[in-house]
Amino acid sequence: MRRSGFDPFLALIVAVAQAVIARGASWGQAGWREPLDGRAFALLAIGPVMVLLHRRFPLLTTLGALVASNLFLHFGYAYGPAFISPAVLLVLLVVRGRRALGWAMAGVAVLSYLAYAWSIGSSDFFHSVWVLTANMLLMVIAELVRIANERRRERERTAEEEARRQASEERLTMAQELHDVLAHNISLIHVQASTALHLIDDNPEQARTALATIKTASKEVLGEMRSVLNVLREGAPRSPTAHLDRLDELIERSGQKVTLERNGSRPLPPQVERAAYRIVQESLTNAGRYAPGADVRVLLDFGEDELLIRVTDTGAAGPAPLAGEGSGNGIPGMRERASALGGTLVAGPHGDGFQVEARLPLPKESS
């Protein structure tokens, strides 16, 4: 009933119902009520027209239907069909939010029907009680319908807000993913470009290797950017790219001497796997930026209750700042990822180098 496109159908239903009921009621009350004629059907037609116009003129249409209903009774036509249009309009007033007007018009309807009964001398206590009870029951039903509609709309609003919240969180997650990918690959490109410039005259083969790494890293970062931006623009699904099966590829592209050790193996929740990959990625980025030429060891220990990630480097060959002393967001970002999953991350100097150690809780494996 909230859409105006529904009104013509409702008006048609009311018209058909009044016509059918009028025929039956006239036949059943043939001995003491007037037979139907053109005037009767003209009065009955007013009600559906009022239903059709009710959304624009709620008060006038309700009054018009009540006047037509009372005229139908005063001309002696059968009881029953003339009550349908006013009843529908009273319900519409309440359901569409005009409760005070609806109850006021219900009171007018009761008084008008009682006045008709008194005018023909057929009113008694029980008849008055019946008229009042019927109108009260109608209005109670209207209120119940209104409450049900409001609750349904509230559920819809809540669902829409939840969907918007989830979409916003997903976009924030993708933005963080994009930041991590950009930070890692641009740092890798910077390191490899510096290496290529340093070696291009004395060792062109190593410079060629560095340039090939730059080409691969730039291709990946462009692909990641295109994927994330397509999601943000179109909401299209994308397959996750940050998973631990790609660690070997990540290590190969890092341009560093990295040893990967895995203790155990088990399926991981997507959010844990994504966080683990990004933590290793950021740790390798920091090692390449602040400890170029260092040996790096990556440990993944799959326990029953947690995943241990430990990335340790041996330190730069010459003086270099530690990752924890930089001004970037790498380590805070890793801590945020671990904390979001209920885990911890500790990063700091380790011997001559630097170490990042994260512990991410895992769900119990089903037996």
Side-chain angles (χ1 to χ4, degrees):
M1 292 186 184
R2 292 178 297 165
R3 298 170 296 181
S4 59
F6 179 76
D7 292 350
F9 296 101
L10 181 59
L12 179 61
I13 292 171
V14 170
V16 172
Q18 287 189 157
V20 172
I21 294 174
R23 289 288 188 183
S26 181
W27 178 80
Q29 302 172 34
W32 53 288
R33 301 298 289 180
E34 294 294 326
L36 297 175
D37 54 19
R39 182 173 59 185
F41 284 108
L43 290 171
L44 289 177
I46 293 176
V49 174
M50 297 298 101
V51 172
L52 188 61
L53 301 175
H54 181 261
R55 192 178 295 272
R56 294 183 60 186
F57 310 105
L59 175 59
L60 294 178
T61 52
T62 306
L63 285 173
L66 284 175
V67 170
S69 174
N70 279 275
L71 288 175
F72 189 89
L73 296 177
H74 278 288
F75 287 130
Y77 301 119
Y79 293 111
F83 300 136
I84 296 176
S85 294
V88 170
L89 292 174
L90 290 175
V91 171
L92 289 178
L93 283 174
V94 175
V95 170
R96 290 173 176 171
R98 299 178 178 271
R99 297 177 61 206
L101 180 59
W103 281 94
M105 295 308 298
V108 172
V110 170
L111 293 177
S112 66
Y113 293 140
L114 291 180
Y116 165 74
W118 294 332
S119 68
I120 62 173
S122 63
S123 178
D124 57 30
F125 175 76
F126 294 103
H127 178 270
S128 300
V129 170
W130 181 88
V131 171
L132 180 61
T133 302
N135 276 269
M136 286 294 296
L137 180 61
L138 175 70
M139 298 306 291
V140 168
I141 293 174
E143 290 286 357
L144 292 176
V145 172
R146 178 189 62 80
I147 292 172
N149 286 343
E150 288 181 353
R151 289 180 177 175
R152 175 178 52 81
R153 287 193 290 268
E154 181 63 28
R155 288 194 298 268
E156 291 175 354
R157 283 194 296 269
T158 302
E160 291 173 358
E161 291 173 359
E162 179 65 17
R164 285 195 295 268
R165 185 189 65 81
Q166 291 179 356
S168 177
E169 290 182 353
E170 178 63 20
R171 280 167 171 76
L172 288 174
T173 300
M174 287 187 289
Q176 187 177 19
E177 292 285 301
L178 184 59
H179 166 270
D180 291 345
V181 170
L182 287 172
H184 170 75
N185 285 283
I186 291 175
S187 295
L188 178 61
I189 289 171
H190 172 73
V191 171
Q192 295 298 327
S194 299
T195 302
L197 288 173
H198 180 70
L199 298 175
I200 194 167
D201 294 327
D202 299 332
N203 197 332
E205 285 303 317
Q206 288 190 19
R208 185 186 302 275
T209 301
L211 291 173
T213 302
I214 291 173
K215 178 181 178 181
T216 303
S218 61
K219 181 179 179 181
E220 176 176 339
V221 74
L222 287 173
E224 287 279 356
M225 288 179 62
R226 187 179 299 112
S227 175
V228 174
L229 292 176
N230 283 340
V231 175
L232 292 173
R233 182 171 58 249
E234 303 171 3
R238 69 184 179 105
S239 57
T241 58
H243 47 79
L244 295 181
D245 290 342
R246 297 187 58 199
L247 275 185
D248 291 333
E249 178 186 344
L250 176 66
I251 289 172
E252 182 180 352
R253 289 188 293 100
S254 69
Q256 300 166 267
K257 184 179 179 180
V258 181
T259 302
L260 174 62
E261 180 182 348
R262 298 175 186 258
N263 292 336
S265 178
R266 59 173 289 189
L268 299 177
Q271 63 271 23
V272 174
E273 186 159 10
R274 183 168 58 245
Y277 181 92
R278 295 305 184 195
I279 288 172
V280 173
Q281 183 184 59
E282 182 64 29
S283 299
L284 292 179
T285 299
N286 285 341
R289 181 186 301 158
Y290 300 116
D295 293 338
V296 183
R297 178 173 177 266
V298 178
L299 170 65
L300 298 179
D301 190 349
F302 295 79
E304 292 185 2
D305 302 324
E306 67 177 15
L307 170 64
L308 170 64
I309 306 163
R310 183 181 295 136
V311 182
T312 309
D313 67 68
T314 57
L322 291 173
E325 299 171 354
S327 59
N329 294 318
I331 291 177
M334 289 190 288
R335 284 203 180 99
E336 289 176 4
R337 285 186 179 274
S339 298
L341 298 173
T344 60
L345 185 139
V346 178
H350 181 77
D352 294 332
F354 198 82
Q355 178 173 283
V356 175
E357 182 176 285
R359 297 178 181 271
L360 307 180
L362 298 177
K364 294 287 186 180
E365 291 187 280
S366 57
S367 56

